[in-house]
Amino acid sequence: MTESYEQKKRRLFGQQNMKNYLGIVEKLTVNLDVPKVLSLIETDKILDEEKEMELNSSLTLSFSDKSQVKQFVLKNLRLTVQKIYMITSLSKDCGIIEFESLHNFNFDFNFSDDPNGLISLINYEMSNKVLLDFYEEGGQKLIDLEYHLKSS
């Protein structure tokens, strides 16, 4: 499949942000020598499938409670040795990141590591997604965790 005109425009725009994007990815991952950035064609397929997922459960925690964050993600993505897609706010223009397992995700990331505060982790079969939405409210740093399932 060839890249559409719109995808080409996004790719050219994304190239301007690629250095910044890869810096964010480096902070959000561990033991990842070279991140695998998917093409915008592959990215759009994944984003289309992601839209079919429905919210199943959610939880709000203190951002500092990383052990609970990790527990929620591992419980809901169920597999830790399977490829994972990671989506941030720059992924639509730069490409989704694929890594080998949840062992490559840095659960100890800092609040400022992704300035937009929104990360999605999706399993390779596109059946389960965990959304991490972190923000500051009333002087407290919080993280909303959402578990989404592919609709039947």
Side-chain angles (χ1 to χ4, degrees):
M1 183 182 250
T2 57
E3 193 176 64
S4 71
Y5 177 71
E6 187 236 325
Q7 288 169 329
K8 186 174 186 170
K9 283 186 353 185
R10 285 183 15 234
R11 180 177 46 81
L12 293 172
F13 178 76
Q15 285 176 345
Q16 298 171 18
N17 292 313
M18 189 59 79
K19 185 177 180 182
N20 182 37
Y21 182 53
L22 292 176
I24 292 168
V25 168
E26 185 178 335
K27 294 173 186 175
L28 298 177
T29 57
V30 291
N31 302 323
L32 198 62
D33 294 331
V34 179
K36 181 176 181 182
V37 181
L38 301 181
S39 72
L40 292 190
I41 294 170
E42 294 168 298
T43 292
D44 286 350
K45 285 180 189 175
I46 292 167
L47 292 175
D48 285 345
E49 280 193 59
E50 179 196 25
K51 291 176 188 173
E52 297 176 21
M53 294 184 176
E54 296 176 358
L55 180 63
N56 184 272
S57 64
S58 62
L59 176 65
T60 300
L61 299 168
S62 168
F63 183 82
S64 62
D65 195 354
K66 295 298 179 62
S67 64
Q68 286 283 71
V69 171
K70 184 175 183 176
Q71 184 179 2
F72 185 91
V73 172
L74 293 176
K75 174 185 167 209
N76 289 303
L77 287 181
R78 294 194 176 91
L79 299 173
T80 58
V81 293
Q82 177 185 18
K83 287 184 183 177
I84 295 291
Y85 298 119
M86 182 175 72
I87 302 171
T88 72
S89 58
L90 294 175
S91 295
K92 183 173 179 161
D93 294 327
C94 296
I96 289 174
I97 300 297
E98 176 185 296
F99 45 85
E100 290 302 312
S101 80
L102 281 173
H103 296 297
N104 296 117
F105 184 71
N106 178 12
F107 286 99
D108 292 320
F109 67 93
N110 295 315
F111 190 80
S112 61
D113 286 348
D114 183 348
N116 293 304
L118 203 60
I119 303 167
S120 291
L121 300 171
I122 305 174
N123 70 342
Y124 194 67
E125 281 103 14
M126 298 296 300
S127 59
N128 300 313
K129 171 179 95 170
V130 173
L131 176 75
L132 298 89
D133 180 3
F134 46 102
Y135 54 95
E136 197 165 347
E137 186 176 279
Q140 283 191 313
K141 292 178 180 174
L142 302 171
I143 186 165
D144 290 340
L145 302 169
E146 294 182 357
Y147 173 53
H148 297 249
L149 285 170
K150 188 170 190 170
S151 57
S152 308

